[in-house]
Amino acid sequence: MLVRRNLKWSVIAHYTWKSMLYYTLLAIAVFLLHDHFEVLKLHLPFSTITALSTALAIFLGFKNSNAYERWWEARQIWGQLVNSSRAWSRQVVTMIIPEESHEAQMVKELQERLVYRHMAFVHGLRVFLRKPKQYNETRQEEIYEETNEYSDTMAFLSPNEYKIFCQKNNPPNYLLNLQGDDLRRAYDRGWLSDYRFVQLEQTLVEFNNVQGRSERIKNTPFPRQYSFFSRVFVFIHASLLPFVFVEEIGWASMPVSVIISFVFLCLDLVGERMEDPFENRLEDVPLTSMSLGIETNLKEHWGDKNFPASKDMSKGIVL
Amino acid sequence: MLVRRNLKWSVIAHYTWKSMLYYTLLAIAVFLLHDHFEVLKLHLPFSTITALSTALAIFLGFKNSNAYERWWEARQIWGQLVNSSRAWSRQVVTMIIPEESHEAQMVKELQERLVYRHMAFVHGLRVFLRKPKQYNETRQEEIYEETNEYSDTMAFLSPNEYKIFCQKNNPPNYLLNLQGDDLRRAYDRGWLSDYRFVQLEQTLVEFNNVQGRSERIKNTPFPRQYSFFSRVFVFIHASLLPFVFVEEIGWASMPVSVIISFVFLCLDLVGERMEDPFENRLEDVPLTSMSLGIETNLKEHWGDKNFPASKDMSKGIVL
Amino acid sequence: MLVRRNLKWSVIAHYTWKSMLYYTLLAIAVFLLHDHFEVLKLHLPFSTITALSTALAIFLGFKNSNAYERWWEARQIWGQLVNSSRAWSRQVVTMIIPEESHEAQMVKELQERLVYRHMAFVHGLRVFLRKPKQYNETRQEEIYEETNEYSDTMAFLSPNEYKIFCQKNNPPNYLLNLQGDDLRRAYDRGWLSDYRFVQLEQTLVEFNNVQGRSERIKNTPFPRQYSFFSRVFVFIHASLLPFVFVEEIGWASMPVSVIISFVFLCLDLVGERMEDPFENRLEDVPLTSMSLGIETNLKEHWGDKNFPASKDMSKGIVL
Amino acid sequence: MLVRRNLKWSVIAHYTWKSMLYYTLLAIAVFLLHDHFEVLKLHLPFSTITALSTALAIFLGFKNSNAYERWWEARQIWGQLVNSSRAWSRQVVTMIIPEESHEAQMVKELQERLVYRHMAFVHGLRVFLRKPKQYNETRQEEIYEETNEYSDTMAFLSPNEYKIFCQKNNPPNYLLNLQGDDLRRAYDRGWLSDYRFVQLEQTLVEFNNVQGRSERIKNTPFPRQYSFFSRVFVFIHASLLPFVFVEEIGWASMPVSVIISFVFLCLDLVGERMEDPFENRLEDVPLTSMSLGIETNLKEHWGDKNFPASKDMSKGIVL
Amino acid sequence: MLVRRNLKWSVIAHYTWKSMLYYTLLAIAVFLLHDHFEVLKLHLPFSTITALSTALAIFLGFKNSNAYERWWEARQIWGQLVNSSRAWSRQVVTMIIPEESHEAQMVKELQERLVYRHMAFVHGLRVFLRKPKQYNETRQEEIYEETNEYSDTMAFLSPNEYKIFCQKNNPPNYLLNLQGDDLRRAYDRGWLSDYRFVQLEQTLVEFNNVQGRSERIKNTPFPRQYSFFSRVFVFIHASLLPFVFVEEIGWASMPVSVIISFVFLCLDLVGERMEDPFENRLEDVPLTSMSLGIETNLKEHWGDKNFPASKDMSKGIVL
């Protein structure tokens, strides 16, 4: 996630230079062929592409809206994870109650296991979501990336759990099932009443929902039809622009058509890159930062002072 | 669902060639009649259809938004099915508790039945939703299709249940009622408390909602009025275009009017085909893939290593 | 609800002929006065109404969106009724449990009463919602209509209940209160625990919500201000069109202005008629079909083979 | 709320005459100065304000959408009040159960108090919401108004409660707290189990939400920035129009610019007046009518035949 | 939050003068260079930037919609806090019940602690949210500001609690955990049943959600990409306008291009400033006013007459 108010032009250039080069060369070529060599006799009044421009602007508006909604929904889901994590921690501490006083220590250990394993779930889900999907790969080289390894969860799990965790088809779901097993054990011991057992289990269902909803956004790209056609239409529109301007405004057609093409290109590209919020790149929902925030909240509640270091934001990027 | 970033032009041609042929022939005819034979004396300035173009662009934006929302809601519903299925599996295992130790085996059998019958529900619902509706049929030949038979559920049901299942008016609902009966039996035996009984029953209500919401989208097409008029308006617009361009830009009217018509056609067609997400075709919500995912998650939790093979994605399509 | 992919032009003509006649006569009159009699010296360039066209297109987009949203919400509400009805039927059967074996028959009778009275609720709510409101009446003659009588519920109620039901100010609500009384009776007998009692009562609250939400849409028309002004603006726009075209494009102004007016008229009319989904006409949410579907589901679950005949869809309409 | 399909032109004139007068005088002045006295030499082609018109149309679309959403949300909130009121009445009757038979009369009295005090809550909330806020006042004189006095609740409260009620900072909230106290009393007596106590309390939370959500809309006007600038932009646009038209279309510039200004004015004004749904005026959400509806439903359930008279709708207005 | 219907022009000037100055100077420069010195020979017809204007208007519409949605969601979240606070107060009073009569005083003290600590939570959350984020700072000087110190909560906490509260990484969350501990204590004493304990805990989860959702909006700015490009496009558009107008309308190009630029600037700026609702400035969601409102409601319920003074609204601003 970008947090600097102003984007760097070098970053913008990194992602747009290929298209900009094409626009510029085309504009120059059309101008030369028309005014200099007088080869091109094409006469296209501007109204020719008015319809196209309006339709394209509306279509890009639609794309941007939905790209933003996907991104914002991803942020909401992880916001819900923050809220439920804090509630989980409090509920584990207040609701699991030893039947007899000599069990106090065992209850405490169980509570600690439930709280720390939850931190593992949060970090594990982050890594799981950011694993690259083959069909989401592009040839675009990225500027910033985070490390993304399951080993971040090692500190919060027993060695044995960690080993099995890494082998699972769906590792985060495995942790939720472990949490369920521990709740059942607490119930069998009488540390949870029927009712409190089910309440804690409901909070686990909340985590199921968080995970499943994140997977939905990760696994279901914004329909390729829309993305593809918006790219094609921007290309068509940009390719027609120099022809439209060259007759009426002469050499000014070069800067003007490049500027207008640039605007439409940006509208398309900004949406394109917001669409997928879990790709481990510049515009991602800041999962790393949020995971560390949850870890901090839970440790503060548990009385563990060993807070993780917060990430450097000096570059205006939070990942 | 398409996952390849770029659509193949052969696929686009498959779905648009008829309209494109009409646009091309019309543009040629208008040009010849006007410039060559000088028969046509019609003089339509471009502004004639500006109002139409804008209104059409807005209307297609409206259509695309709602088509996408239908599709995305379908995906959300099935995402909810994934989440609740995982929760169901965990709850069945942790919440159904034998009263006495000798019942452990019977409880285990019951749990297995509840988990595997749920897989049958998922596969059965998929098949049920993809059964073609007579009024949704078009003359358009499709490129890709999945098999769609209730026999996919056979492995998860007892032979007797499967037989009755196939005869029901609403087969998936029958399975939910069977689940309810089994919960009641567990309650009668004392394996479920009053409270846990109702909680599991609530998860069944969740499945009722998933099924009913999917049926809503399947059985209620996007209002035909909107679809029909958008097709008609695109046709009117495309038919007027060559007349508008021919006087001012001569032979260039042919490529230009075909290109602009193509853009509007695509905007219409993309929406038209996203509208119905359960039609067993290219753009479907990937029910097959999701059903197999749920099956894998539940088997992994139950300790069954016999995972289903995942589908081939090499063609850039997930069904 | 229309389900045929293509509307019949005869149906379209039935609802638009008056306006179309006005547009045509106006266009002819303007053309004759201008070109033939040369009386009219008005010179309006097209740009005169560009602002109007764009504003109108956006306003109609707004109207269509909200009309569709009202309709779709109505469909969602009734979809929720389908889901909750299935859940109600299953819960009644699994959760009301005789305390002693000799009560089994009485419990069964109570369950039957609760399930069949619910069918009466569904049919009764449909009839209640489709009763015409005086201020919704128009002079427009409708092509299709359903019968709409409370007698459809007679088969599912005791004669006495049916008699009182018909006299009530709010008949469907009366049935929900009866259901509540029966639950209380079951509780008093010990067939329901405290907890299961409240759960079934919650499902009744769901039905309260379904009814109240449907009444909201029925009793609160889309703000008349918006509908009225959109009709007025379409009329103003259509009345200006011939003047704008007549000078520049001569006789072609007649077909062109009629076609463009037709497009705007349709955009307005389609929204206007979708707004009110419970008016017992062509575009209604298919309450009859859905009520029969619920009846079928509940009877199938109860083991009653006497399914209602499904409605004829051959005309491409589901009511 | 307006329910007549067509607005009266006298009503429209009442709210627009000042602006219309300005538009007309300005158009005449510009025409005379330009064509008659030939003082004004300004030459503004129409395209000058194309950008402004489009931006304004989109901005008004945004304003209208959100004004309508505020209004519709207000209607939904009160719809929820209808639903929950019916549920409250049923739950009070079926769930508060005397422990011993001699308490039956006392329980009945308590139930009556809870049901009638709820009617007081509904009427009281209506009056509370419609109290004018100083900063919402305008100099616009309104055509229709309802009486709005707390005395409407007197019939449903004991004299003592009514007296305190009137002195409270937040009177409706006071009634909810009284309901809570009565539930607690019933619990202490054993007429409510732990579980049923909490369920009824949950319905009170629903009423808290209804009240708080209504207050949110009442106390938070649609951001003044948006309203203010839309008024300013409509004024700028209307002031430029005559200059734009006068050169090209002569005397026709007067009617045309007035008509177009009228359309934009209406788009602005309709939104402006929908924004605030609790102002006791023409376009309000019909709180009075809904309060009486709830009173009727609850009295019908309680067996009280003394229904309130329903309001006269003959003028096409429901308040 | 602004509540005055009309903004002061001095306030508008405060925030726009820099841009307005640039627009004016540019327009004058272009006019002089073109008409006076005849240096500039650029000929740009208006249609040159039509495409840009439309695309920009749509993009600003998108930005304004989402800025408003963020603001309105913030208001909804705090509205939910109002509702749940009232419910919390009532539930604490009615649901915590002494087991034996001599405990009545202790219960009362506990209830008071729970109610007053909640007021501390509300004020503390307000202060926490309004703490400035480094990357949200701008060089824009603000006109109005509220004090924002944790000391506002001192009156509602014990000295010891207040001291720890101030040192916490996440102070409001600490208070919720204290509330949880007190509930647990009440449960241990038998003043809360299992069921009522969990219900009160659920209300705490509601507060977790309120806090987490507010933090989401605070910590996640509206994507900088969108804000940045809208500012850039408004700048490009405004810079092209004088060139477009100068040839066709001469000296009038100066006022016209400044006016049109002003409109687009306002559309951009209004959205830009609504985006972040917790920045302690003019357009904020009125957290201070709402906190005082909650304090008043809770004190009224508890019988404490010591209401806080309400804020002065005479300047038309509520903070």
Side-chain angles (χ1 to χ4, degrees), chain B residues 187-224:
Chain B
Y187 174 79
D188 285 343
R189 287 247 176 194
W191 301 339
L192 280 174
S193 69
D194 221 40
Y195 190 65
R196 298 199 311 269
F197 175 23
V198 172
Q199 281 297 316
L200 282 164
E201 172 46 57
Q202 281 303 100
T203 308
L204 290 184
V205 173
E206 197 64 57
F207 298 136
N208 274 125
N209 286 334
V210 164
Q211 174 174 354
R213 290 174 65 202
S214 300
E215 286 177 25
R216 163 162 57 79
I217 290 177
K218 172 75 178 185
N219 295 338
T220 317
F222 186 66
R224 298 303 198 199

Side-chain angles (χ1 to χ4, degrees), chain C residues 23-210:
Chain C
Y23 301 155
T24 311
L25 292 180
L26 180 72
I28 293 172
V30 169
F31 174 68
L32 289 181
L33 287 173
H34 184 277
D35 270 36
H36 199 69
F37 302 104
E38 306 201 353
V39 174
L40 201 82
K41 283 285 163 221
L42 194 62
H43 167 78
L44 289 183
F46 184 77
S47 47
T48 317
I49 61 160
T50 299
L52 204 57
S53 298
T54 304
L56 184 54
I58 292 171
F59 191 50
L60 291 176
F62 162 71
K63 182 177 176 177
N64 273 324
S65 280
N66 286 299
Y68 171 61
E69 264 170 40
R70 282 172 63 89
W71 190 87
W72 188 233
E73 193 192 352
R75 181 60 185 81
Q76 286 175 314
I77 295 165
W78 271 72
Q80 189 57 48
L81 181 56
V82 172
N83 313 349
S84 300
S85 297
R86 292 175 185 163
W88 169 256
S89 156
R90 188 180 60 243
Q91 289 174 346
V92 161
V93 169
T94 60
M95 287 191 183
I96 304 183
I97 303 172
E99 284 244 292
E100 309 189 21
S101 57
H102 68 85
E103 295 174 327
Q105 185 53 30
M106 289 162 70
V107 165
K108 191 130 194 154
E109 280 166 22
L110 177 73
Q111 288 171 335
E112 185 169 23
R113 207 156 64 232
L114 288 168
V115 170
Y116 278 81
R117 196 190 280 130
H118 183 68
M119 299 181 206
F121 170 75
V122 172
H123 285 294
L125 181 57
R126 161 176 63 81
V127 174
F128 182 68
L129 289 172
R130 278 189 173 161
K131 290 278 173 212
K133 287 265 163 189
Q134 197 194 331
Y135 54 76
N136 265 349
E137 272 163 31
T138 57
R139 266 168 301 173
Q140 177 69 56
E141 199 192 329
E142 294 298 332
I143 301 184
Y144 298 91
E145 258 184 55
E146 264 295 291
T147 58
N148 198 50
E149 299 299 335
Y150 281 130
S151 54
D152 291 5
T153 67
M154 217 190 310
F156 310 108
L157 294 173
S158 75
N160 193 34
E161 280 175 8
Y162 176 69
K163 208 176 112 198
I164 304 176
F165 165 79
C166 289
Q167 293 161 356
K168 286 287 172 183
N169 179 294
N170 189 322
N173 194 34
Y174 167 68
L175 293 183
L176 292 184
N177 288 331
L178 286 185
Q179 302 285 57
D181 293 344
D182 265 351
L183 291 184
R184 162 73 179 273
R185 230 160 275 141
Y187 174 80
D188 285 343
R189 289 248 175 193
W191 302 339
L192 280 175
S193 69
D194 221 42
Y195 190 66
R196 298 198 312 269
F197 175 23
V198 172
Q199 281 297 317
L200 282 165
E201 174 42 59
Q202 281 302 101
T203 309
L204 289 184
V205 173
E206 196 64 57
F207 298 136
N208 273 123
N209 286 334
V210 164

Side-chain angles (χ1 to χ4, degrees), chain D residues 251-317:
Chain D
W251 66 265
S253 75
M254 288 183 293
V256 167
S257 67
V258 169
I259 287 174
I260 295 181
S261 295
F262 172 72
V263 169
F264 280 89
L265 175 69
C266 289
L267 288 179
D268 186 48
L269 214 60
V270 167
E272 189 98 6
R273 292 185 63 84
M274 294 284 294
E275 261 170 50
D276 297 311
F278 301 128
E279 296 300 305
N280 195 6
R281 63 187 185 190
L282 212 61
E283 296 93 343
D284 261 31
V285 167
L287 300 194
T288 306
S289 159
M290 294 179 78
S291 311
L292 296 176
I294 294 174
E295 189 185 327
T296 305
N297 289 160
L298 264 54
K299 283 185 168 168
E300 176 161 88
H301 184 219
W302 189 254
D304 178 343
K305 301 281 186 197
N306 179 26
F307 295 165
S310 59
K311 292 275 165 173
D312 172 34
M313 279 193 205
S314 63
K315 285 186 178 163
I317 291 164

Side-chain angles (χ1 to χ4, degrees), chain A residues 68 71-72 75, chain E residues 63-77 136 213-224 271-272 274-279 285:
Chain A
Y68 172 62
W71 190 87
W72 189 233
R75 180 60 185 80
Chain E
K63 182 178 176 178
N64 274 322
S65 280
N66 286 301
Y68 172 61
E69 264 169 42
R70 281 171 66 87
W71 190 88
W72 189 233
E73 193 191 352
R75 180 61 186 80
Q76 286 177 313
I77 295 166
N136 265 349
R213 291 174 65 203
S214 300
E215 286 177 24
R216 162 162 56 80
I217 290 177
K218 173 73 178 184
N219 294 338
T220 317
F222 186 67
R224 298 303 198 200
E272 188 98 6
M274 294 283 295
E275 261 169 51
D276 296 311
F278 301 127
E279 295 302 304
V285 166

Side-chain angles (χ1 to χ4, degrees), chain A residues 9 12 262, chain E residues 227-237 268:
Chain A
W9 287 101
I12 296 171
F262 172 71
Chain E
S227 302
F228 174 73
F229 281 115
S230 83
R231 255 174 296 142
V232 170
F233 297 163
V234 166
F235 176 81
I236 291 176
H237 184 255
D268 185 49

Side-chain angles (χ1 to χ4, degrees), chain D residues 169 187 194-195 208 220 224, chain E residues 75 90 193 195-196 300:
Chain D
N169 180 294
Y187 174 80
D194 221 43
Y195 190 66
N208 273 124
T220 316
R224 296 304 198 200
Chain E
R75 180 61 186 80
R90 190 181 58 243
S193 69
Y195 190 65
R196 298 200 310 271
E300 176 161 88

